Amino acid sequence: MKFIIAIIKPFKLDEVREALGSLGVAGMTVTEVKGFGRQKGQTEIYRGAEYSTNMLPKVKIEVAASDALAPQIVETIQKVASTEAIGDGKIFVLDLASAVRIRTGESGDTAL
């Protein structure tokens, strides 16, 4: 199993969620976050307003997936979230040792 963490621009969230749903992703966790990368506070245009800051609004998506589905998820996020502009974000893929569904006690891929 893999744990995929993607940091993307907020206005891309709905498109990414729909694309992942069409792949068969059954669930995800989404958190509003702030951060910066290489742009280091350069002037940014967000929802039509130009501003300069060192912490930009982003969205963090977390998805647990089977080893077979993980590459498709990463590729889909990368394609859909891209604006080909600085600050599009990052995708991290980690090995997931275990997952347990609290209600039923199922574990492994069946818990996803």
Side-chain angles (χ1 to χ4, degrees):
M1 292 181 299
K2 301 292 183 195
F3 190 63
I4 301 163
I5 302 168
I7 310 295
I8 65 169
K9 291 185 175 185
F11 67 89
K12 286 292 194 172
L13 176 60
D14 287 337
E15 290 177 61
V16 170
R17 183 184 51 79
E18 289 174 18
L20 293 180
S22 69
L23 283 180
V25 173
M28 66 181 72
T29 301
V30 176
T31 310
E32 292 181 6
V33 296
K34 289 184 179 185
F36 70 91
R38 290 186 177 170
Q39 75 268 33
K40 299 207 187 329
Q42 292 178 357
T43 300
E44 177 88 4
I45 296 176
Y46 178 67
R47 293 192 179 188
E50 186 175 313
Y51 64 95
S52 179
T53 180
N54 61 353
M55 299 296 269
L56 299 172
K58 302 288 182 179
V59 172
K60 179 169 75 170
I61 300 171
E62 298 169 307
V63 179
S66 66
D67 288 326
L69 189 55
Q72 291 175 295
I73 292 172
V74 170
E75 182 181 344
T76 298
I77 294 171
Q78 193 266 322
K79 284 182 181 176
V80 175
S82 176
T83 64
E84 297 184 8
I86 193 165
D88 275 351
K90 296 271 191 302
I91 302 171
F92 306 99
V93 181
L94 297 89
D95 286 323
L96 184 60
S98 176
V100 177
R101 186 181 307 246
I102 293 173
R103 179 176 53 87
T104 62
E106 294 171 300
S107 61
D109 281 351
T110 58
L112 303 178

